[in-house]
Structures are given as structure tokens and as C-alpha cells.
């Protein structure tokens, strides 16, 4: 047992805690408490910590420009002459001597003077000099996965991986932090979730890949409470965040495929064999890890069918990998695997043609014909154009001819020809290419205004219903003819009131009933929306929501602006090339005592727990809440997601994702294992759903109340409520970013309190909140903020993991300098903020313009110039566009400090730690939380 007589680092004191019969160690300056004896300096975690750049060099790089106000001198190898000065600005002596491990990470610019106790003044200079703390490489790759180690990796790397699986590990220890004295550090968000420490021998193999990678499946708590009462006491929501088909980045291992069609499943609960089962009876039987049923091992399980000889059971992928794909035998098929079918509906009304949407869309399809999945040469395609009439195109195979057939009766839709409308992509390639080259010219002089989108959907459905597939709708105006016609219901007077949530619900029952019909026929719908006026995104997004599609929104699209054309062409091309999973159903199973309670995402719940997904796009996320129904008696539980689907090259497969988590009867472990990123993702999904069933205000209140409850529970359960307890706001170290993430969610366009947000923008934001995977969702609600004019020398250059990004800053305008250049991005938009006192040299280096005055703000494409700084800035923007999973291609906006007010306010709204309108700053938010938590505990 520890005693106070032991040597403690300066600033620490020991206090006896009677309930636990041991000493609690308290840091006087911050109020932080912990059970472990404090060490002189905190050490960075080793397991899967983000890479850090080398310590700052005292020598200057050979050629570097500085952009401090009034100075444009170029330095050439002046390191020796400058001595201890960085870019001509001296560093205080005490700062140079400060140990790296204890260096303060933030300046007081985060809050008002003295807003956060214990913070030190660190001068911020504008120069190309190394920063004063270790810099994280690729820092904003939110939720990035642990590094993949190949099979021949050094043994210490494998040991690190085993450490994550908890082999021989002690329970997680809890470190308490005081939110009042520890401002948010954006770099916390790149860390992997808390370790999963399973009991010894839980896994039957020593594979480092036996537990699910968080990018595929992650839980809000990585140590499951044994009782529902303990879960309720913690107030942390229990749920899974699943992205079953995430894209593979370069260097990542593909999902192993079990091709021998030997699929071992539990006879009782239908769980697939996985690394957490047990072999019994001399290996002839296996015991299910979920229901403990004893099952026979299939005869061919130990036979290598390729070599036709006995195989090594322990080398089988399903016993070594948490994510595997089985090639399904015929008993898993209701019908032969369907081909991939694409029906593209193109709005050709006057608005659509004039905006350039039709020309851009047809050119993009033409350019991407070779990328459309067609390995088995069975893929079918149809093009239907529509305004107030429907235009079908008959394309006989083997010719370059196509015939247009017009159907003007949209009240009773019929197909004008039974054949040659839905054509084989390979056989009718020539006629399709010819048609795509002519469609824009055919409708160039079309002056028809109006949209029969509903009838066009019905026609597309009739064309493909016998097979199933994907409908892609391109629409430039509000549908107002025939089935599903809508009226403009945008009413500025009800924005910001309790009635606003009505604008976020579908205005016509057609969209839900038609979507369910599509789901039944294995038809998925994607919406691409382009209108400059109100388009009722809320109603139209119903179709993707219930058919497992996706909504893409391009407000006020104009192809005359090259940026608009490039963004749409890139995203549409990526969707066309996406390897979709067809006629899929998903079910999540869990150990006895756990139940999947509610489901969030784009699908239709066919029975109590079977999710129907006609076509699953890659990088789409789903959230599932879990209930603890009975006391959990096992040392660990298993949750397994199984998705039965047809690949787009005609193979029936089952993707299985298995996650094993330890159980615990310790509330300390529950808090220490909570995953703040997964919790935020689940809360975002729940908030959107509540805003539709109740009111936007109710959604905000529910999220805020949940955070208060978690903090209150932590205070009452995990801290000694002695003298001075009310002066802190305590939470575990692994949840320290949860308040700022919740604040970002409350300030997101999807649920933010405001009377200025158009319903279409709000509905689109809600669609993103419920479909984005965590890695993309977190920056969407907690944007990334870089300083470019004084970034470290290696930023923007290529390192071991690609382009190195600058250190992210806290999201407050206090960090903006008048002569600075900053990048703010949320995964959907990139802002390049430039201060009004920016020196001419910086403007010339980045924009190729003589000075700030001639620079224009707005949507732009940055030139790549023949200087080091321009190339680094462009590399950072390129990396920002590419580093996350998904098809999105963010627009780049230049924002001048004294430029257009709407653009300035939009960019500044990303700095969520600032006060905005009626919404509090982070410091005010923390103060409100402290008052509520202390008030809640005083009743």
C-alpha cells in the first residue's frame, strides 16, 4: 500500500480515502486525482500512439520565409548567426529550459485571461520555426486505425498488439482530469479508443487481428458492466458503431475471404465460428462463445480443398481475424446472384440544363464507364431523362444508334418498350457512349420548367424491379408533377420555433411508401440535389434513408464555376465506381444477456432485428443501442455483425465482424474504458432521430442532459466529494474531449438553435450526422484548425505516413493573428482564412497576387506556384481532401478577415469554442455544466 512518506513529485499530496482503504494522490495546481503513485513526468502512451515528429531542431532549414507583420526577409542558412533565436524572435530562457514532457500545450488565447488555471503564457510568433512541443504527424486523421503490422513484424510490435487484446494485463486504471483547468487538446482525438483488455486465454489464437478494428466496429464502452443497474448508474449509453464496408487505404490489409464454403455456425444462436469459441472433445466439437452450445466441427474444416490434403485448422482466417468474408454456398441464396443494375434519372428541365448539371453529369458517366463495377460483364444500365414528361432511350446492342421514346402521361406510368431500355453495359457500350455525348445537345433549348421526379422514379422502379439494383436521381428543382409532387413549404417565420421540426419530416407519404416498396424489391436510391431554390431535401432524403442509399447536396450548383463542376464530377464518379453490396441483410448478435434495442442509419427494419439494405454503399455507418437484460456472468461478451450480400461481380458472400469485450463489476473500469468518439457518434444519431419525432429543442436538451448525467455520475461515484469538490468538474482522462464534442454537436447545423438555417441545409446536415463513419463525423462536428503561416518546417512535406500535417489548434478565434494564414476544415468544406495585415510576400507566395487588397474571397482553386510555401500549402489541402474515407471532395473557400460577412460567419462558426449568437463559448459551457452538476448533487 502506498503511503505519504514515499517521495512524491513537487505539487502532489496524498490523502487517505476511507471507502477504498488507500491513498488518493492529488495534484494541487489542477485538482487532478489518481490512485497510482504519480511519476515525476507523464509519459506518452506507446501502444498505437500517433507518430510524433522529431524534437525541434535548433538549426534553421536552408531556405525559409517568415511572414510576421512588416517583415518579408528571406533567410538562407542563418542558423549559426541567429543562435538561440527562431526566425529573429527570441525564445524566453525559462521556456527553452522547460522539459518537453511538461511543456504547456496551449496559450491563454483559448479563453479570457486566467480563464484556465495553471496555464502559462507561451509567446506565439509568426515564423517557419519548430514549435515548442512535440508535433503529431498526420494529427487530424480522426479515429485513424492502429498501424497494421505484417505477419513478419518485429516481435515487440506484435507484443504491443497483444497488449491491446489484454493478454495478461491488469485492469485499466482511471485518471481523473479537471475540465476547468485542462482545456481541450484536439490531438486527443487521434488516439485509439481505450484498450480492450480481455482475460487470459479468451482468444484461441495469438493473432493480433482477432478483435475488431475500431474502423469496422467499435463500442461506446470497452468493458461491459455486468448489470443494467451499473450501466444506468454510469449514465454512459451502451451502443455499437458499425461501418461494415469501409474503404481500404493504401497499405491496409484486405478482408480475408474464406472460399471453401465451409461455414461453421452455432446450431442454437446461429453465431459464426470466430477466434473466441472453444474447442472441446479432442477438437471434434466447439463451444459457442455466445450461448455456450456445443457444436460439431464440420468434416471439411481441417481439409485444404485447394491442395486436396489435410489443412492447418489454426491457420484458418475465421479463427485469426475479427473481420472475414465467407463465400456463401447455395443454401444462402433465394435466387441466383443478381447482376449490378444502375438506372440513372437525369433532370433535363430548363434549370438543370442552364446550370450545366446535365452536361457535367453525362460527361462524368461517359468518363467513368470503365470504372463501373462490371467484372462479370453482366452489369446493366438505363438512362431516363425527365422534366414534365419522361424520356426513355432504346439502345440496341451492337449499334451506335439510340431512339428516344417520350411518355407524356405521367399519371399512369408505363414502359414504352419492353426491351433495349435496360441494356448490358458491355454489349451496348457503343450506343450508350453515343447517347451520353448527345443528351445535353438534345435538351439544350429546353424551356420547360417543372419536375416529374415521382413518375420518373416509378418508371425506373418498373424497369429494374424484377432484378433490383441502384437508382441514381439527379434533380435540379422541386418535384411538382405527378406522384410525389411537393409544394414550397419553406416558411422563414417558423425557423427557430418549436414548429421547425415539421420542416424536417417528409411532406408527402409517397416517399416513405415508395421507399419501402423499393426495399422489398432490392432497389436502393441515391439522391443528387442541385437546386438554387428550396428543394425539400427532408422529403427527398427519405428515399435513401429507407433504401440504404445516400443523399448528396450541391446548393446553387453552377458548372460555369469550375470548382462546382469538379466537386460534383469527383463525387458522382466515385459513387459510380463504388463496389456496392447488393440485396443485403444485416443482423447483430450478442452474448446472452445483451439485446439490440434500437437501430439508427439508412436501412429498413424488416423484423425485430433484421436490417434490410438493398445496396450498401462503402463508408456508410450504422449505430445500434444495446440493452443489458440479464446479469452477465461470463468474463467477456462477444458481439457479432453478419451481413449477407451479393457482391457487384455476382458472388454471394457473408461479411462477419466479431468484437469481444471484457465484462466488469467495477464502475471505475466502465469509465476508464468509455470511448468518447463512439459515444458522440451514437448521441448524434439519437439527436437527429429525436428532432424528427419531437422537436429540435428536445434533441438538444436530451444530448446536453446526457452529458450532465455522465459528469454527475462520475463526480458522485469516482471522486471524493470532500472540501473543494465543487471547485472542479471531474471526468476521466479518456472522456476529457466529450464536452467539446457535445458542444460541437449542439452547434452543428443539423440541430443548432438558430432562426437563420434554411431547412434544406439542416436536413442535409442531419443526413450526414446519421450516415458518416466516426472518422469523418468527428471532424464534421469538431473541425480541424491549422496555422499555416508559422507551421513547423516539416509540415506539408512527405514523411513516412504521407504528407505531414501541422499541429491542430484549439477551435477559438483567439488564435487568429491579423497577419496570419489559417486552414479550417470539417470534412465537407475547407476555409483558408487570411488576416487583413497579411504581408504582400505571403499573398504573393500563396495566391500569386501583389497584396491583400486585390485578393478576392469566395470559392476558389489555389494555384500551385514555384515556391516551397505554395507547394506545402497545396499538399496540406490535397491531404485534407484525401485522408478520410468517403467520396466527399470539399470545396475550398478563401475567407478575408474583413471580407463578406456571411462567409466570415460561416468560417467562424467552425470555431466551436467561441461564443456565437445565443450559443455559449466552451468556457461558458463548462461553467454551465459545473453549475448543473453541482446543483444535481446538492439535492
Amino acid at each position: 500500500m502506498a503511503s505519504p512518506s514515499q517521495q512524491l513529485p513537487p505539487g502532489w499530496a496524498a490523502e487517505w480515502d476511507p471507502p477504498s482503504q488507500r491513498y488518493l494522490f492529488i495534484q494541487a495546481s489542477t485538482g487532478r486525482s489518481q490512485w497510482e503513485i504519480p511519476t515525476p513526468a507523464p509519459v506518452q502512451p506507446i501502444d498505437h500512439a500517433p507518430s510524433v515528429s522529431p524534437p525541434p531542431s535548433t538549426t534553421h532549414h536552408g531556405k525559409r520565409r517568415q511572414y510576421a507583420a512588416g517583415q518579408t526577409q528571406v533567410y538562407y542558412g542563418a542558423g549559426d548567426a541567429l543562435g538561440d533565436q527562431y526566425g529573429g524572435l527570441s525564445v524566453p530562457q525559462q521556456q527553452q529550459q522547460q522539459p518537453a514532457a511538461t511543456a504547456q500545450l496551449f496559450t491563454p488565447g483559448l479563453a479570457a485571461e486566467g480563464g484556465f488555471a495553471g496555464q502559462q503564457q507561451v509567446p506565439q510568433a509568426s515564423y517557419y520555426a519548430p514549435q515548442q512541443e512535440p508535433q503529431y504527424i498526420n494529427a487530424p486523421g480522426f479515429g485513424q486505425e492502429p498501424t497494421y503490422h505484417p505477419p513478419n513484424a518485429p516481435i515487440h510490435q506484435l507484443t504491443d498488439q497483444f497488449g491491446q487484446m489484454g493478454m495478461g494485463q491488469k485492469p485499466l486504471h482511471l485518471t481523473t482530469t479537471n475540465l476547468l483547468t485542462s482545456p481541450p487538446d484536439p490531438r486527443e482525438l487521434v488516439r485509439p479508443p481505450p484498450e480492450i483488455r480481455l482475460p487470459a486465454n479468451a482468444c484461441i489464437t495469438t493473432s493480433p487481428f482477432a478483435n475488431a478494428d475500431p474502423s469496422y466496429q467499435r463500442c461506446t464502452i470497452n468493458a461491459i458492466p455486468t448489470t443494467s443497474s451499473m450501466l444506468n448508474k454510469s449514465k454512459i449509453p451502451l451502443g455499437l458503431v458499425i461501418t461494415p464496408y469501409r474503404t481500404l487505404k493504401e497499405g491496409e490489409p484486405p478482408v480475408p475471404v474464406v472460399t471453401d464454403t465451409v461455414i461453421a455456425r452455432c446450431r442454437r444462436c446461429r453465431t459464426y465460428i470466430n477466434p473466441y469459441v472453444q474447442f472441446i472433445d479432442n477438437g471434434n466439437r466447439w463451444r459457442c462463445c455466445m450461448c455456450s452450445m456445443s457444436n460439431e466441427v464440420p468434416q471439411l474444416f481441417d481439409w485444404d480443398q485447394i491442395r486436396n490434403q489435410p489443412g492447418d485448422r489454426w491457420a484458418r482466417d475465421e479463427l485469426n481475424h475479427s473481420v472475414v468474408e465467407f463465400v456463401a454456398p447455395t443454401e444462402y441464396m433465394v435466387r441466383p446472384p443478381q447482376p449490378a443494375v444502375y438506372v440513372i434519372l437525369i433532370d433535363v428541365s430548363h434549370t438543370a440544363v442552364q446550370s450545366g448539371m446535365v452536361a457535367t453529369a453525362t460527361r462524368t458517366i461517359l468518363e467513368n464507364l470503365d470504372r463501373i463495377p462490371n467484372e462479370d460483364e453482366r452489369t446493366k444500365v438505363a438512362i431516363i431523362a425527365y422534366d414534365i414528361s419522361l424520356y426513355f432511350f432504346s439502345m440496341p446492342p451492337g449499334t451506335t444508334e439510340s431512339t428516344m421514346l417520350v411518355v407524356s402521361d405521367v399519371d399512369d406510368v408505363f414502359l414504352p418498350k419492353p426491351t433495349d431500355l435496360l441494356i448490358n453495359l458491355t454489349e451496348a457500350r457503343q450506343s450508350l457512349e453515343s447517347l451520353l455525348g448527345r443528351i445535353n445537345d438534345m435538351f439544350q433549348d429546353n424551356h420547360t420548367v417543372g419536375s416529374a421526379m415521382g413518375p420518373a422514379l416509378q418508371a425506373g422502379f418498373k424497369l429494374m424491379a424484377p432484378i433490383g439494383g441502384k437508382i441514381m436521381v439527379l434533380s435540379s428543382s422541386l418535384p411538382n408533377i405527378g406522384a410525389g409532387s411537393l409544394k414550397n413549404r419553406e416558411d422563414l417565420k417558423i425557423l427557430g420555433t418549436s414548429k421547425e421540426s415539421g420542416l424536417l419530416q417528409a411532406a408527402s407519404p409517397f416517399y416513405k411508401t415508395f421507399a419501402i416498396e423499393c426495399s422489398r424489391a432490392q432497389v436502393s436510391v441515391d439522391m443528387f440535389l442541385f437546386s438554387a431554390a428550396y428543394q425539400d431535401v427532408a422529403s427527398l432524403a427519405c428515399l435513401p434513408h429507407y433504401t440504404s442509399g445516400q443523399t448528396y447536396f450541391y446548393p446553387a450548383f453552377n458548372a460555369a464555376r469550375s470548382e462546382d463542376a469538379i466537386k460534383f464530377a469527383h463525387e458522382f464518379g466515385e459513387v459510380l465506381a463504388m463496389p456496392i453490396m447488393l440485396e443485403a441483410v444485416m443482423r447483430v448478435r450478442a452474448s446472452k444477456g445483451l439485446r439490440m434495442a434500437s437501430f439508427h442509419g439508412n436501412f429498413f427494419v424488416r423484423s425485430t432485428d433484421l436490417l434490410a439494405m438493398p445496396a450498401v454503399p462503402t463508408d456508410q455507418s450504422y449505430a445500434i443501442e444495446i440493452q443489458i437484460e440479464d446479469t452477465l456472468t461470463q468474463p467477456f461478451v462477444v458481439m457479432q455483425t453478419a451481413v449477407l450480400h451479393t457482391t457487384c461481380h455476382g458472388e454471394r458472400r457473408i461479411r462477419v465482424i466479431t468484437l469481444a469485450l471484457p465484462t466488469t463489476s467495477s464502475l471505475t473500469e466502465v469509465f476508464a474504458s468509455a470511448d468518447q468518439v463512439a459515444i458522440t457518434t451514437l448521441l448524434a444519431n439519437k439527436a437527429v432521430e429525436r428532432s424528427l419525432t419531437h422537436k429540435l429543442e428536445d434533441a438538444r436538451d436530451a444530448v446536453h442532459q446526457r452529458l450532465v448525467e455522465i459528469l454527475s455520475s462520475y463526480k458522485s461515484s469516482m471522486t471524493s466529494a470532500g472540501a473543494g469538490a465543487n471547485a472542479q468538474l471531474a471526468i476521466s482522462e479518456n472522456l476529457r474531449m466529450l464536452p467539446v464534442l457535445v458542444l460541437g454537436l449542439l452547434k452543428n447545423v443539423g440541430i443548432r438553435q438558430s432562426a437563420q438555417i434554411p431547412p434544406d441545409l439542416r436536413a442535409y446536415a442531419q443526413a450526414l450526422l446519421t450516415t458518416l463513419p466516426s472518422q469523418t463525423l468527428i471532424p464534421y462536428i469538431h473541425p480541424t484548425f491549422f496555422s499555416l503561416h508559422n507551421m513547423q518546417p516539416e509540415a506539408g512535406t512527405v514523411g513516412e505516413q504521407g504528407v505531414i500535417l501541422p499541429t491542430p489548434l484549439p477551435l477559438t478565434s483567439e488564435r487568429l493573428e491579423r497577419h496570419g494564414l489559417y486552414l479550417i476544415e470539417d470534412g465537407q468544406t475547407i476555409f483558408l482564412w487570411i488576416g487583413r495585415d497579411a504581408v504582400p510576400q505571403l499573398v504573393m507566395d500563396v495566391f500569386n497576387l501583389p497584396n491583400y487588397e486585390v485578393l478576392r474571397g469566395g470559392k476558389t482553386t489555389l494555384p500551385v506556384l514555384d515556391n516551397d510555401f505554395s507547394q506545402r500549402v497545396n499538399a496540406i489541402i490535397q491531404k485534407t481532401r484525401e485522408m478520410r474515407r468517403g467520396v466527399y471532395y470539399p470545396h475550398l473557400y478563401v475567407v478575408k478577415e474583413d471580407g463578406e460577412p456571411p462567409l466570415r460567419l460561416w468560417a467562424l462558426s467552425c470555431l466551436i469554442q467561441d461564443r456565437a449568437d445565443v450559443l455559449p463559448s466552451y468556457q461558458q459551457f463548462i461553467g454551465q455544466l459545473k453549475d448543473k452538476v453541482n446543483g444535481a448533487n446538492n439535492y
Side-chain angles (χ1 to χ4, degrees):
M1 183 184 293
S3 75
S5 60
Q6 289 175 294
Q7 187 65 40
L8 293 176
W12 285 85
E15 182 180 298
W16 180 255
D17 187 55
S20 58
Q21 291 294 299
R22 56 177 172 164
Y23 285 100
L24 184 69
F25 297 94
I26 300 169
Q27 189 175 27
S29 62
T30 65
R32 173 173 154 183
S33 60
Q34 63 186 57
W35 296 115
E36 287 71 25
I37 303 166
T39 53
V43 181
Q44 287 279 11
I46 295 173
D47 284 355
H48 310 298
S51 307
V52 290
S53 64
S57 167
T58 53
T59 60
H60 281 262
H61 284 236
K63 182 177 180 181
R64 182 185 312 146
R65 280 201 172 92
Q66 69 168 19
Y67 297 122
Q71 301 182 43
T72 56
Q73 181 180 358
V74 183
Y75 290 109
Y76 291 92
D80 295 331
L82 292 173
D84 281 332
Q85 292 190 336
Y86 284 35
L89 297 168
S90 61
V91 179
Q93 189 68 27
Q94 67 271 24
Q95 187 179 323
Q96 294 177 37
Q97 294 171 351
Q98 188 178 21
T102 57
Q104 292 293 320
L105 300 181
F106 294 94
T107 71
L110 176 70
E113 186 84 8
F116 288 111
Q119 253 185 319
Q120 297 180 9
Q121 291 275 356
V122 181
Q124 180 74 15
S126 297
Y127 45 74
Y128 275 136
Q131 304 294 303
Q132 297 303 302
E133 67 266 9
Q135 308 298 334
Y136 281 68
I137 292 178
N138 297 338
F142 289 88
Q144 65 191 25
E145 298 74 33
T147 308
Y148 165 62
H149 298 302
N152 59 352
I155 194 70
H156 70 274
Q157 293 181 341
L158 294 178
T159 306
D160 287 351
Q161 292 277 7
F162 293 152
Q164 189 179 8
M165 292 159 50
M167 303 225 173
Q169 293 273 11
K170 296 182 297 183
L172 288 169
H173 78 270
L174 188 70
T175 305
T176 296
T177 189
N178 183 359
L179 291 168
L180 298 175
T181 57
S182 55
D185 181 349
R187 294 175 299 183
E188 289 287 321
L189 294 171
V190 308
R191 298 186 186 278
E195 288 179 43
I196 298 172
R197 296 190 173 181
L198 291 167
N201 303 321
C203 181
I204 57 174
T205 68
T206 55
S207 167
F209 312 110
N211 222 350
D213 187 295
S215 62
Y216 285 106
Q217 184 162 292
R218 64 199 299 168
C219 188
T220 55
I221 309 173
N222 281 347
I224 305 297
T226 51
T227 63
S228 60
S229 59
M230 186 193 296
L231 177 64
N232 292 337
K233 188 175 181 183
S234 75
K235 300 299 181 184
I236 299 172
L238 179 57
L240 278 180
V241 177
I242 308 166
T243 312
Y245 299 101
R246 65 142 170 88
T247 48
L248 293 173
K249 298 282 189 182
E250 189 177 341
E252 288 181 338
V255 173
V257 180
V258 180
T259 57
D260 60 11
T261 68
V262 176
I263 302 177
R265 298 181 69 181
C266 177
R267 286 181 296 128
R268 181 158 58 197
C269 68
R270 308 303 292 153
T271 294
Y272 292 81
I273 199 167
N274 59 74
Y276 300 97
V277 304
Q278 285 180 313
F279 286 104
I280 55 176
D281 191 16
N282 295 321
N284 293 320
R285 303 178 72 80
W286 62 277
R287 180 174 289 133
C288 177
C289 55
M290 290 201 193
C291 71
S292 299
M293 181 76 176
S294 172
N295 300 276
E296 286 188 12
V297 174
Q299 284 185 335
L300 293 174
F301 198 73
D302 299 313
W303 185 259
D304 187 333
Q305 295 182 27
I306 297 173
R307 296 188 181 88
N308 202 25
Q309 65 185 39
D312 178 6
R313 172 182 297 189
W314 303 108
R316 288 189 71 94
D317 286 322
E318 60 266 51
L319 299 182
N320 288 278
H321 291 263
S322 62
V323 185
V324 292
E325 208 155 80
F326 295 97
V327 175
T330 51
E331 57 261 34
Y332 285 82
M333 304 177 197
V334 177
R335 59 178 179 174
Q338 68 176 81
V341 176
Y342 299 85
V343 173
I344 303 171
L345 310 182
I346 305 176
D347 181 350
V348 291
S349 63
H350 178 72
T351 312
V353 175
Q354 292 306 306
S355 71
M357 183 274 281
V358 177
T360 309
T362 50
R363 187 174 65 249
T364 303
I365 299 169
L366 193 56
E367 289 170 354
N368 287 278
L369 285 178
D370 287 330
R371 298 178 70 209
I372 293 175
N374 189 26
E375 284 182 33
D376 55 359
E377 298 193 343
R378 296 196 306 152
T379 298
K380 295 178 179 292
V381 178
I383 307 284
I384 301 175
Y386 67 94
D387 46 29
I388 61 172
S389 302
L390 306 182
Y391 306 92
F392 296 85
F393 300 95
S394 171
M395 293 171 275
T399 70
T400 57
E401 298 302 315
S402 59
T403 309
M404 184 167 78
L405 308 163
V406 183
V407 174
S408 299
D409 181 4
V410 294
D411 293 324
D412 184 16
V413 174
F414 64 94
L415 299 179
K417 193 178 180 189
T419 59
D420 299 337
L421 298 178
L422 186 64
I423 50 107
N424 180 288
L425 178 57
T426 305
E427 294 172 2
R429 175 72 178 261
Q430 287 179 302
S431 52
L432 179 61
E433 287 181 356
S434 172
L435 172 66
L436 290 167
R438 292 186 293 117
I439 284 182
N440 189 64
D441 295 336
M442 287 181 199
F443 297 98
Q444 188 62 53
D445 299 321
N446 187 3
H447 295 290
T448 305
V449 177
S451 168
M453 181 205 285
L457 281 163
Q458 291 174 327
F461 178 76
K462 286 190 176 201
L463 202 54
M464 67 195 307
I467 311 171
K470 186 180 269 290
I471 297 178
M472 297 180 177
V473 185
L474 284 66
S475 168
S476 283
S477 55
L478 188 71
N480 57 1
I481 306 288
S485 63
L486 299 167
K487 293 190 171 84
N488 187 337
R489 54 180 177 143
E490 187 175 32
D491 186 351
L492 299 180
K493 294 194 293 297
I494 65 172
L495 297 184
T497 71
S498 60
K499 295 180 180 177
E500 185 178 1
S501 59
L503 298 177
L504 302 174
Q505 297 161 3
S508 165
F510 167 81
Y511 292 97
K512 183 171 182 180
T513 54
F514 181 73
I516 294 169
E517 216 179 318
C518 286
S519 179
R520 198 175 289 120
Q522 304 296 346
V523 172
S524 175
V525 183
D526 281 348
M527 303 294 296
F528 293 82
L529 307 174
F530 302 87
S531 178
Y534 177 69
Q535 198 166 2
D536 204 345
V537 173
S539 294
L540 302 182
C542 257
L543 287 168
H545 178 73
Y546 290 109
T547 63
S548 193
Q550 186 63 281
T551 302
Y552 301 92
F553 187 36
Y554 308 89
F557 176 85
N558 184 355
R561 283 192 301 262
S562 62
E563 291 81 14
D564 281 12
I566 290 168
K567 176 182 172 66
F568 166 54
H570 178 275
E571 295 181 359
F572 188 36
E574 290 299 307
V575 173
L576 286 167
M578 185 184 288
I580 53 173
M581 280 49 68
L582 302 160
E583 50 182 350
V585 286
M586 181 167 86
R587 178 173 270 135
V588 182
R589 297 177 175 89
S591 293
K592 189 179 176 185
L594 297 176
R595 183 175 71 86
M596 302 300 130
S598 60
F599 306 89
H600 308 274
N602 284 7
F603 47 71
F604 182 67
V605 184
R606 189 178 292 171
S607 62
T608 53
D609 64 345
L610 190 70
L611 310 182
M613 301 187 287
V616 188
T618 51
D619 299 308
Q620 190 164 98
S621 185
Y622 312 92
I624 300 177
E625 288 181 85
I626 302 171
Q627 280 183 359
I628 300 175
E629 292 193 307
D630 299 316
T631 300
L632 304 175
T633 55
Q634 301 295 327
F636 66 96
V637 294
V638 176
M639 291 171 240
Q640 189 179 77
T641 301
V643 190
L644 175 63
H645 66 278
T646 301
T647 64
C648 44
H649 48 268
E651 196 170 49
R652 197 75 172 141
R653 288 188 179 180
I654 309 130
R655 178 162 291 198
V656 177
I657 305 166
T658 306
L659 175 66
L661 298 170
T663 57
T664 181
S665 54
S666 161
L667 200 57
T668 301
E669 278 198 58
V670 172
F671 277 107
S673 68
D675 179 351
Q676 57 194 357
V677 167
I679 292 170
T680 306
T681 307
L682 180 59
L683 289 178
N685 278 272
K686 285 169 65 71
V688 171
E689 183 172 286
R690 193 168 182 84
S691 73
L692 298 175
T693 56
H694 294 69
K695 293 183 294 195
L696 279 162
E697 186 180 358
D698 292 342
R700 291 189 292 268
D701 289 348
V703 172
H704 189 270
Q705 186 58 31
R706 178 53 70 110
L707 179 58
V708 170
E709 288 172 353
I710 292 172
L711 292 167
S712 300
S713 172
Y714 191 87
K715 178 182 177 181
S716 61
S717 309
M718 296 292 113
T719 61
S720 49
N726 286 354
Q728 12 179 336
L729 186 61
I731 194 64
S732 56
E733 187 76 26
N734 50 296
L735 291 178
R736 63 180 292 206
M737 292 298 287
L738 186 59
V740 76
L741 290 175
V742 167
L743 180 63
L745 177 57
L746 294 172
K747 290 186 173 185
N748 185 273
V749 171
I751 61 171
R752 180 164 79 214
Q753 181 181 355
S754 171
Q756 310 295 324
I757 299 171
D760 279 353
L761 286 181
R762 202 187 277 281
Y764 179 61
Q766 292 198 342
L768 292 175
L769 288 174
T770 53
T771 56
L772 292 178
S774 296
Q775 191 207 33
T776 318
L777 176 69
I778 294 303
Y780 184 53
I781 62 177
H782 182 284
T784 311
F785 181 28
F786 296 139
S787 172
L788 300 180
H789 62 286
N790 59 357
M791 58 186 167
Q792 63 270 37
E794 64 269 24
T797 64
V798 178
E800 288 182 11
Q801 300 175 18
V803 175
I804 300 170
L805 294 171
T807 308
L809 299 175
L811 294 169
T812 168
S813 58
E814 300 264 346
R815 286 305 183 97
L816 295 173
E817 295 177 319
R818 286 200 166 179
H819 59 271
L821 180 70
Y822 300 86
L823 185 145
I824 311 168
E825 67 90 21
D826 65 0
Q828 301 294 316
T829 310
I830 300 173
F831 298 104
L832 210 54
W833 175 284
I834 185 161
R836 68 178 73 171
D837 294 339
V839 294
Q841 186 66 59
L842 183 147
V843 181
M844 177 60 74
D845 282 357
V846 178
F847 303 101
N848 202 26
L849 293 170
N851 54 52
Y852 174 85
E853 284 69 31
V854 299
L855 177 64
R856 291 185 58 188
K859 205 179 289 182
T860 191
T861 301
L862 213 57
V864 181
L865 304 173
D866 188 19
N867 71 74
D868 175 65
F869 190 63
S870 168
Q871 288 160 14
R872 289 166 61 202
V873 169
N874 273 284
I876 290 167
I877 291 169
Q878 183 71 8
K879 167 85 172 184
T880 301
R881 281 182 166 142
E882 293 175 353
M883 68 183 174
R884 299 195 185 95
R885 304 180 202 279
V887 304
Y888 301 101
Y889 185 87
H891 271 314
L892 174 67
Y893 289 87
V894 169
V895 185
K896 297 177 69 172
E897 184 185 346
D898 55 3
E900 299 172 18
L903 188 56
R904 285 179 60 252
L905 290 172
W906 184 15
L908 290 173
S909 71
C910 291
L911 303 180
I912 58 172
Q913 289 176 218
D914 288 344
R915 181 169 181 171
D917 200 14
V918 295
L919 304 167
S921 67
Y922 177 73
Q923 197 182 0
Q924 292 170 323
F925 185 62
I926 289 293
Q928 292 170 6
L929 289 173
K930 178 192 159 197
D931 293 343
K932 290 208 170 189
V933 169
N934 290 336
N937 282 287
N938 290 333
Y939 289 127

